[in-house]
Amino acid sequence: SSSLFSAAFSADGRRIVTGSNDATARVWDAETGRQILALEGHGWVINSAAFSADGRRIVTGSNDKTARVWDAETGQQILALEGHGDWVGSAAFSADGRRIVTGSDDNTARVWDAETGRQILVLGHGGAVNSAAFRADGRRIVTGSNDAMARVWDAETGQHILALEGHGRAVNSAAFRADGRRIVTG
């Protein structure tokens, strides 16, 4: 049997995307539970799956060291984001859908052009990056790492802005509040 590693709603709440250890992401009707699509192409566990804000694309991150972008209507793979040296545990779109941020066990987060797949930035940590997310305005990124730190970065230049210290262990999750004025870490 398969285990789920990720589940997320589309912005309109009508669909759910899940990532599993069977190397498949699946899209489901949130009202009926009916499977709509199976996204196949990863070579290993899918750790992260998320819709773009407009619901037209899905990004997945896998233990096969790639993130992939899919058409959320047809299930067709659009892009493979290659460059990480280890598992990709986190993948998310910016609110405008133009960029993707990924976090990896290779101690980096990376920013990608969501249209071309070109790598734009590499953000370094002292341990695996478990979580990476854009602020709603797309100008900042927050990352959480096994190095017991969360960090805030300029999403355009990659410049390190803040180190959020005080965690005794790994930071597995980090996210901005909707207004961008606060960050929560776990």
Side-chain angles (χ1 to χ4, degrees):
S1 71
S2 298
S3 297
L4 287 181
F5 286 84
S6 178
F9 279 101
S10 58
D12 65 8
R14 296 175 61 190
R15 292 171 295 162
I16 296 167
V17 63
T18 57
S20 171
N21 69 348
D22 69 1
T24 303
R26 298 178 192 272
V27 179
W28 311 84
D29 183 299
E31 293 298 317
T32 67
R34 180 180 63 86
Q35 182 179 305
I36 301 169
L37 293 172
L39 310 179
E40 298 176 339
H42 277 294
W44 207 357
V45 173
I46 296 176
N47 299 304
S48 180
F51 284 96
S52 58
D54 64 8
R56 296 177 61 188
R57 290 173 296 160
I58 293 167
V59 63
T60 53
S62 171
N63 284 8
D64 68 7
K65 304 179 187 178
T66 71
R68 295 173 192 251
V69 179
W70 312 82
D71 184 301
E73 298 301 320
T74 67
Q76 181 175 352
Q77 183 179 301
I78 300 169
L79 293 172
L81 308 178
E82 300 176 338
H84 278 295
D86 211 327
W87 298 357
V88 178
S90 175
F93 283 98
S94 58
D96 64 8
R98 296 175 58 189
R99 291 171 295 159
I100 292 167
V101 64
T102 55
S104 171
D105 274 26
D106 69 3
N107 299 356
T108 71
R110 295 174 192 241
V111 178
W112 312 81
D113 183 302
E115 297 300 321
T116 66
R118 181 178 64 88
Q119 183 178 289
I120 300 169
L121 295 172
V122 178
L123 312 173
H125 265 277
V129 178
N130 302 313
S131 179
F134 284 97
R135 193 168 71 183
D137 65 5
R139 295 178 60 192
R140 299 283 182 265
I141 292 168
V142 63
T143 54
S145 171
N146 280 357
D147 66 7
M149 300 273 284
R151 295 183 184 272
V152 178
W153 312 83
D154 184 299
E156 297 298 323
T157 67
Q159 179 180 350
H160 179 253
I161 296 169
L162 285 173
L164 306 176
E165 302 179 56
H167 301 91
R169 294 194 178 181
V171 179
N172 292 312
S173 182
F176 285 100
R177 190 167 73 178
D179 66 6
R181 296 179 61 193
R182 298 281 187 268
I183 294 167
V184 62
T185 58

